[in-house]
Amino acid sequence: MDEPVEQQQDVDELEQATLERDEYLDALQRLKAEFENYKKRVSRDQAEFVTRASERLVKQLLPVLDDLERALEAAAEHEEAKLEEGVALVHRSLADLLAREGLAEIDTDGAFDPHVHEALLSQPAEDAESGAVLQVLQKGYRLGDVVVRPARVIVAE
Amino acid sequence: MDEPVEQQQDVDELEQATLERDEYLDALQRLKAEFENYKKRVSRDQAEFVTRASERLVKQLLPVLDDLERALEAAAEHEEAKLEEGVALVHRSLADLLAREGLAEIDTDGAFDPHVHEALLSQPAEDAESGAVLQVLQKGYRLGDVVVRPARVIVAE
């Protein structure tokens, strides 16, 4: 039994279109599921990332805590030289650790810069230009591009 | 001109299947693009999360560094009482900061526990049971469930 050629073509096209439709639907459903799983994993990972970042720093602080405790013991036994040595050691360890994390002191030589300095006082000064930093009351620090604390200064009037 | 009913049905089905196929393909392509963008954003976010987690801790360490520097100045000026006081203050600040991060000292009362203790030496001991912790050489710490450093101890033989 011969079908008309045109009708046979329609059936082939229908078969083809149906096949493709089913394939795309299947791919779409699988991608949706994959995306959902990915999102769930990401929110778990992010919590872990934060924990691990703190863990890494906390671990590095343990030797600083140990050295501080040894310094305290030296203080309790009035071993002044050992105490001083201990404090210098603790300071060096902590400063090195923070420098490795990218912490850098904010420069205070020269003119007052409102982006990185905070003026707590202004004073008349004969031998300094107006707006010059006269004295640093508290050191400032930056971490990469971020000012974590401005330098607190006295400026010349 | 009447088309045969069967052929008309095929054409409707073909139209329908083609329409659905195009819709699914379109949805699939849009979801793929969305997934790709999401992945890119996640990898940017994760780097930022780590930076921000360290930044938060580094910020908290600045007052500790300040206090240490004041203690060093006191040492340089031989103000022993002020130095001792300063060291005690620094120790308390750092210990408090680490406790807030979840750091806790590992218990060493009682029997040796290989999960949280590390035996550096064993010694005969008349007044202790075999396997008891006799002395702590270095304090151990855990952060939540993670042992960040086992307690290093001497155990009774």
Side-chain angles (χ1 to χ4, degrees):
Chain A
M1 207 170 83
D2 276 350
E3 293 185 63
V5 170
E6 203 186 302
Q7 197 179 339
Q8 178 59 47
Q9 262 185 358
D10 280 354
V11 171
D12 286 351
E13 276 178 40
L14 176 62
E15 229 168 65
Q16 181 67 20
T18 309
L19 207 78
E20 285 175 358
R21 181 198 64 191
D22 293 348
E23 270 172 20
Y24 292 148
L25 180 60
D26 188 51
L28 182 62
Q29 284 167 339
R30 272 184 293 129
L31 190 64
K32 263 185 190 163
E34 200 191 324
F35 200 175
E36 282 313 307
N37 284 334
Y38 187 84
K39 279 180 177 169
K40 274 182 212 153
R41 189 155 54 79
V42 161
S43 70
R44 270 199 308 272
D45 281 0
Q46 278 173 345
E48 215 193 293
F49 264 109
V50 174
T51 310
R52 248 185 290 156
S54 324
E55 198 181 303
R56 191 183 53 82
L57 257 176
V58 166
K59 263 188 191 172
Q60 293 184 63
L61 286 166
L62 292 186
V64 179
L65 194 62
D66 291 339
D67 289 339
L68 260 174
E69 287 175 1
R70 270 192 286 272
L72 276 180
E73 282 164 24
E77 287 163 26
H78 300 288
E79 299 180 79
E80 308 300 354
K82 220 172 151 185
L83 168 59
E84 259 195 64
E85 217 178 276
V87 174
L89 178 73
V90 170
H91 178 258
R92 209 162 40 241
S93 316
L94 185 61
D96 286 353
L97 186 163
L98 292 171
R100 279 197 307 273
E101 290 301 310
L103 192 76
E105 225 177 283
I106 285 172
D107 205 17
T108 47
D109 296 338
F112 177 76
D113 176 355
H115 297 103
V116 294
H117 301 149
E118 188 182 320
L120 294 189
L121 276 173
S122 65
Q123 281 176 356
E126 279 175 18
D127 52 350
E129 271 182 61
S130 166
V133 171
L134 290 178
Q135 198 188 329
V136 181
L137 298 174
Q138 190 183 43
K139 282 183 186 176
Y141 292 96
R142 65 170 93 231
L143 196 61
D145 292 334
V146 181
V147 175
V148 284
R149 189 173 78 188
R152 294 186 169 112
V153 298
I154 302 178
V155 290
E157 272 176 2
Chain B
M1 209 169 80
D2 274 352
E3 291 185 63
V5 171
E6 200 186 305
Q7 197 177 341
Q8 178 60 46
Q9 262 186 356
D10 279 355
V11 170
D12 286 353
E13 276 179 41
L14 176 61
E15 231 168 65
Q16 180 67 21
T18 308
L19 208 78
E20 286 176 357
R21 181 198 65 189
D22 293 349
E23 269 172 21
Y24 292 147
L25 180 60
D26 187 51
L28 183 62
Q29 283 166 339
R30 272 186 292 129
L31 191 64
K32 262 185 190 164
E34 199 191 325
F35 200 175
E36 283 313 307
N37 283 334
Y38 186 84
K39 280 180 178 170
K40 274 182 212 153
R41 189 158 52 81
V42 161
S43 72
R44 268 199 309 271
D45 282 359
Q46 279 173 344
E48 214 192 295
F49 265 110
V50 173
T51 309
R52 249 188 289 156
S54 323
E55 198 181 303
R56 191 183 54 82
L57 256 176
V58 166
K59 263 188 190 170
Q60 293 185 63
L61 285 166
L62 292 187
V64 180
L65 193 62
D66 291 338
D67 289 339
L68 259 174
E69 286 175 2
R70 270 193 284 273
L72 276 181
E73 281 164 24
E77 286 163 26
H78 302 287
E79 300 181 77
E80 307 301 355
K82 221 172 151 186
L83 169 59
E84 256 194 68
E85 216 177 277
V87 175
L89 178 72
V90 171
H91 178 258
R92 207 161 42 239
S93 316
L94 185 61
D96 286 353
L97 185 163
L98 291 171
R100 280 198 306 275
E101 290 300 311
L103 193 76
E105 225 178 283
I106 285 170
D107 204 17
T108 46
D109 296 338
F112 177 77
D113 176 355
H115 296 104
V116 294
H117 300 149
E118 189 182 318
L120 294 189
L121 275 172
S122 66
Q123 282 175 355
E126 280 177 16
D127 52 351
E129 270 183 62
S130 167
V133 172
L134 291 178
Q135 197 187 328
V136 181
L137 298 174
Q138 190 183 43
K139 282 183 186 175
Y141 292 95
R142 66 170 91 229
L143 195 61
D145 292 333
V146 181
V147 175
V148 284
R149 188 172 79 187
R152 294 188 168 111
V153 299
I154 302 178
V155 292
E157 270 176 5

